[in-house]
Amino acid sequence: MVDIPRDERKVTDADFFAAMDLSRRGLSQVRRAVEAGDLDAAKRATVDYFRVRQTPKWFFDRREEIEHVGKGTKVDLARGGVEVANEVLKHRFRLNKGAVVYDFGKDLNWRTEEMLGAWAAPSILKRTPFLRPLVAAYKQTGRKVYAAKFAELTQRWLDDWPLVVDRSFGPTDAIFSKSEGRKAMPTADRVCCWLDMVYEGMAFAPEVPVETAFRLIKSVWFTALQYRRYEKSPYRPANHHLWERGTAPFFFGTILPEFPEVAKLSDQGIPVIRKHVERSFLSDGCYEERSSNYTIGSVRFPEAPGFRGAQSRRVVRPQ
């Protein structure tokens, strides 16, 4: 395993491109820009690549809807409420099923004591579920304000919450950063949410700067790479081990083959998934591994408060 960087703030754009397999089909424009030393052009080419690439498949693909926003395209109203998105515009975020609303104020001070806690209620926002209502409202109404707020919140998140993994973190640990309460489970959930932003097309909306879209993709790569630290993690039954050691790594490795080290996560996750299937069913047929429901929640759309129902998804499965 390569030496995995721990501090997202110190990872350069050049580091990102060095981690890519630029010989892959579809990345020729990125490769030429990198070879020419034009990293700005390489970033634009990377965003263009993820905007149009056909494989691998995520659970859904609605990128084409972005091209028809505001042009009469009918969007499923069950996918979200404009009312919830309007609250997000004011930095008011709902938790869980919407019973509690946290108001972060006009200036959006993310780094409150509760947000820094690993188990405090608003720490659920570290999964960034508040981005999903903006997508639905943008596609339903065509109002640019929702895409602009998506760009603002994503940029603020990247600026205010870069992932810095503790030096002491090892393959048996569950918290990337104790000082910021960054647990491996909800962090993987955030990566799934951000992948949704790519495949919903929101990252490529005209109101979203190319730099913002590139930083989102770069952060997805960096964060997914951290799960390689679980390569030699021992099997642990019934403690959410399946999600952070098996299912999430399998997803990340499958969906990001452009990055050879991240791609290894697919093979890393498969034996963990198999082991849980073999060992987690009790003699009466019940299933003891507690993260099964967590996995279902993380890979259904939508999961964010204010949404109803689950859209059908194209599911990838280990062979």
Side-chain angles (χ1 to χ4, degrees):
M1 183 168 56
V2 299
D3 184 22
I4 301 172
R6 292 179 181 267
D7 191 336
E8 189 171 5
R9 300 167 300 180
K10 297 180 180 179
V11 177
T12 66
D13 295 339
D15 293 332
F16 171 82
F17 290 117
M20 296 183 78
D21 177 5
L22 295 178
S23 67
R24 285 181 64 87
R25 183 178 180 180
L27 289 174
S28 58
Q29 291 187 17
V30 179
R31 183 182 67 253
R32 286 194 290 269
V34 170
E35 291 174 347
D38 190 345
L39 294 189
D40 286 338
K43 288 190 279 188
R44 291 194 297 271
T46 298
V47 172
D48 286 342
Y49 169 79
F50 279 96
R51 179 175 57 83
V52 301
R53 76 170 186 172
Q54 297 301 304
T55 57
K57 301 292 186 181
W58 189 229
F59 294 98
F60 57 85
D61 190 341
R62 303 190 187 102
R63 286 171 291 178
E64 73 285 349
E65 289 181 2
I66 288 295
E67 299 177 5
H68 305 290
V69 165
K71 298 180 182 178
T73 299
K74 188 175 181 180
V75 179
D76 182 5
L77 294 178
R79 286 172 49 205
V82 173
E83 179 183 353
V84 176
N86 288 341
E87 290 184 335
V88 174
L89 294 180
K90 300 175 183 178
H91 303 156
R92 291 169 51 84
F93 306 127
R94 291 183 178 270
L95 307 184
N96 295 327
K97 299 303 180 181
V100 179
V101 178
Y102 272 77
D103 189 339
F104 281 76
K106 181 180 179 180
D107 296 328
L108 187 60
N109 177 24
W110 279 125
R111 303 184 70 80
T112 65
E113 182 176 349
E114 286 184 303
M115 279 290 283
L116 289 169
W119 288 275
S123 68
I124 194 174
L125 296 176
K126 291 173 182 174
R127 305 174 188 180
T128 64
F130 48 82
L131 296 178
R132 290 180 171 127
L134 294 175
V135 179
Y138 179 61
K139 291 185 177 182
Q140 289 169 26
T141 68
R143 291 184 59 202
K144 297 179 179 180
V145 65
Y146 297 116
K149 179 57 67 173
F150 165 82
E152 177 192 341
L153 292 178
T154 301
Q155 290 169 167
R156 283 294 303 273
W157 187 272
L158 291 163
D159 290 340
D160 296 348
W161 286 102
L163 179 59
V164 181
V165 178
D166 292 343
R167 284 288 170 188
S168 60
F169 182 86
T172 62
D173 297 317
I175 301 180
F176 285 139
S177 171
K178 293 182 175 64
S179 62
E180 294 191 341
R182 305 288 284 272
K183 295 185 288 186
M185 288 183 64
T187 298
D189 199 2
R190 175 175 62 83
V191 175
C192 285
C193 177
W194 286 23
L195 287 169
D196 284 350
M197 297 302 102
V198 170
Y199 281 89
E200 277 286 338
M202 191 62 155
F204 313 113
E207 297 79 12
V208 178
V210 170
E211 179 67 19
T212 301
F214 173 77
R215 290 184 66 191
L216 182 150
I217 294 167
K218 179 182 174 183
S219 186
V220 165
W221 157 76
F222 173 84
T223 309
L225 182 61
Q226 303 308 312
Y227 292 83
R228 289 285 288 127
R229 300 183 186 279
Y230 286 134
E231 181 184 22
K232 297 182 179 179
S233 176
Y235 171 77
R236 299 173 66 183
N239 71 335
H240 305 307
H241 179 277
L242 172 61
W243 170 246
E244 60 196 18
R245 266 78 161 184
T247 313
F250 174 73
F251 287 160
F252 302 157
T254 301
I255 207 68
L256 294 171
E258 294 82 6
F259 305 93
E261 197 63 30
V262 172
K264 294 176 183 178
L265 285 169
S266 182
D267 288 338
Q268 177 180 316
I270 287 174
V272 177
I273 296 171
R274 285 176 172 167
K275 187 171 293 186
H276 277 281
V277 171
E278 293 168 355
R279 301 187 183 185
S280 295
F281 285 96
L282 305 179
S283 58
D284 61 359
C286 292
Y287 187 68
E288 69 170 352
E289 216 293 324
R290 292 184 292 154
S291 69
S292 55
N293 189 56
Y294 193 101
T295 302
I296 293 169
S298 298
V299 301
R300 58 185 282 269
F301 185 93
E303 176 68 8
F307 286 72
R308 310 193 302 274
Q311 303 297 313
S312 61
R313 284 187 163 197
R314 184 181 293 108
V315 180
V316 290
R317 302 178 189 275
Q319 299 299 316

